[in-house]
Amino acid sequence: MENEAGSRSGRHAIVIGGSVAGLLAARALHASYERVTVLDRDSLPAEPLARRGVPQGRHVHGVTARGAAGLETLFPGFLGELTAAGAPHADALGDYHYYLDGHKLARATADTPNYLATRPLIESLIRKRAGSLGNVAVVDSTEAVGLLIEGSRVTGVRVRPVNEDGAERDMRADLVVDAAGRGSRAVAWLSELGYPTPDETVVRTNVVYVTRHFQLKPGQPGGRHAVVSGAYPANPRSGAAVQQENGQIAVFLAGILGDEPPTDAEGMLAFASTLAAPEIAEVLRTAVPIDDAAKMRNPASSLKHFDKLDRYLDGFLVVGDAMGNFNPLYGQGITVAVLEAELLESLLRDGDHRLAQRYFAEAAQLLAEPWALATGSDLRFPGVDGVRSPEDEQAGRYLDALRAAAATDPSVGAAFLRVANMLAPIASLFDPALAARVQQSSSQSVPG
């Protein structure tokens, strides 16, 4: 596809990082560049297997309703392929047992279809679709070690092979997109080249989570596709039991602020027994494990404010975790990558003039909502450092009442989950009609 000026934006674009955010960026770029090359340090498996470069790949993943809709638009037929590969799909209210603040939500259909699959399967299918575009090449076992520039513009990257002795070489490009995740060197490169680097907002939660997979038995988990038990100030532990492809179920346990789940069977069961959802412990008690437990740490959420820079390196963009790393407990990562790809594709329809400035300005607006959703939940915990205004505290009390109301009023639960699935803004939870239902529920729960 050509941009509105009637021509492509450039001849060659390079994406550093072949995970979900990088592959979706390549999809966004392919219509505007003659060639798109995706570079990844790993030797990428042909089949859906966990890999070193995605340490979170063994843990519970899924695709939210908003993420699913975006993937289907970017790759028509993708959801059918995911389903054909065995991934269950389910409504996040009607087909789950969902516990908020210890309350089991009243069940109904919330029109929030989730797709439940392992991260290797999701990434593998996206990589196949991106690689089938014709002008997109995914090159593995290759590391980008630096940027090439002329004047104020990127002209490519310097690369070297990872698994063999080989000399560094220059790879020229009109655009470079850093999708290297938390291992990104974008800030260091900008500093080395004499460019300003972004300020960063950090919210430290010290999340530690553990996942183990089991063979699925009829009726697990609790007769639903998933059981989710969220953390809240009275119990900073969370967990889930989620059906996935290949007849398996993943059990996920997490703690924040130093509350660390164990990885042995007895310890996991004891930890799960403290959650509001008894179904999770029941899976651990009765199901047959098919692997060892894997542990992951996420010390903090962080957001880099590229939009505040007063000077940009033209032809250099940053996407995914390299720009915003969100608390993994809220499952936003894939959806945010979808939104960034949609934004990039949209901006390129008007060409690449001042692309970095336009992209970072609009990406900041795009990320504001998921960032507020995640950090707003994190700041409920007194041990998490952050600014809490009187207005925030008032809103927090209302949202506490809303979560309690969702246990008896399914329309309240549906509204909450539509926000959690990024189908509706946080502001929708303060709609007067919804607030009236919350107030009514709160009044009914108070003894007369």
Side-chain angles (χ1 to χ4, degrees), residues 55-56 180-184 209 296-300 302 321-322 325-326 328:
Q56 71 274 31
R182 281 167 273 186
S184 166
Y209 51 104
M296 184 78 181
R297 300 177 186 275
N298 193 80
S302 64
D321 283 358
N325 169 33
F326 297 81

Side-chain angles (χ1 to χ4, degrees), residues 204-327:
R204 300 194 177 279
T205 51
N206 190 21
V207 173
V208 183
Y209 51 104
V210 168
T211 299
R212 193 174 192 185
H213 295 86
F214 300 81
Q215 189 64 41
L216 181 65
K217 291 183 178 180
Q220 291 178 332
R224 300 286 94 197
H225 284 80
V227 177
V228 177
S229 185
Y232 58 107
N235 185 358
R237 296 179 171 184
S238 59
V242 181
Q243 291 186 22
Q244 298 175 321
E245 73 274 11
N246 298 326
Q248 67 183 30
I249 181 170
V251 172
F252 168 92
L253 302 174
I256 71 168
L257 299 171
D259 189 5
E260 188 166 324
T263 55
D264 64 286
E266 184 177 346
M268 288 182 68
L269 177 58
F271 189 98
S273 297
T274 67
L275 301 175
E279 301 95 332
I280 299 172
E282 183 64 18
V283 172
L284 291 173
R285 191 177 294 112
T286 61
V288 177
I290 57 177
D291 62 7
D292 294 327
K295 180 177 286 189
M296 184 78 181
R297 300 177 186 275
N298 193 80
S301 300
S302 64
L303 183 64
K304 298 181 179 70
H305 302 287
F306 285 94
D307 59 305
K308 303 297 185 183
L309 298 179
D310 58 8
R311 186 163 60 102
Y312 291 96
L313 181 57
D314 292 335
F316 183 60
L317 306 179
V318 180
V319 302
D321 283 358
M323 180 160 53
N325 169 33
F326 297 81
N327 186 332

Side-chain angles (χ1 to χ4, degrees), residues 4 28 40 54 75 96 98 100 111 130 189 208 219 239 255 270 337 352 407 413 427 443:
E4 291 184 358
D40 199 276
V54 186
F75 297 114
Y96 284 22
Y98 212 116
L100 281 179
D111 195 23
W189 288 341
V208 183
D352 63 357
S443 300

Side-chain angles (χ1 to χ4, degrees), residues 326-387:
F326 297 81
N327 186 332
L329 299 185
Y330 309 122
Q332 298 168 301
I334 292 175
T335 302
V336 167
V338 167
L339 296 174
E340 290 174 346
E342 292 173 347
L343 170 62
L344 183 54
E345 182 180 41
S346 174
L347 292 175
L348 282 168
R349 295 192 184 109
D350 293 326
D352 63 357
H353 177 63
R354 298 173 63 247
L355 179 61
Q357 186 172 354
R358 290 188 293 135
Y359 169 76
F360 286 122
E362 295 207 26
Q365 296 179 41
L366 179 155
L367 293 174
E369 183 81 10
W371 178 257
L373 187 62
T375 58
S377 295
D378 290 338
L379 290 172
R380 299 179 70 203
F381 297 89
V384 175
D385 291 335
V387 177

Side-chain angles (χ1 to χ4, degrees), residues 398-419:
Y398 165 73
L399 292 173
D400 287 345
L402 183 145
R403 293 182 182 94
T408 56
D409 188 335
S411 65
V412 176
F416 181 91
L417 288 174
R418 288 185 63 78
V419 171

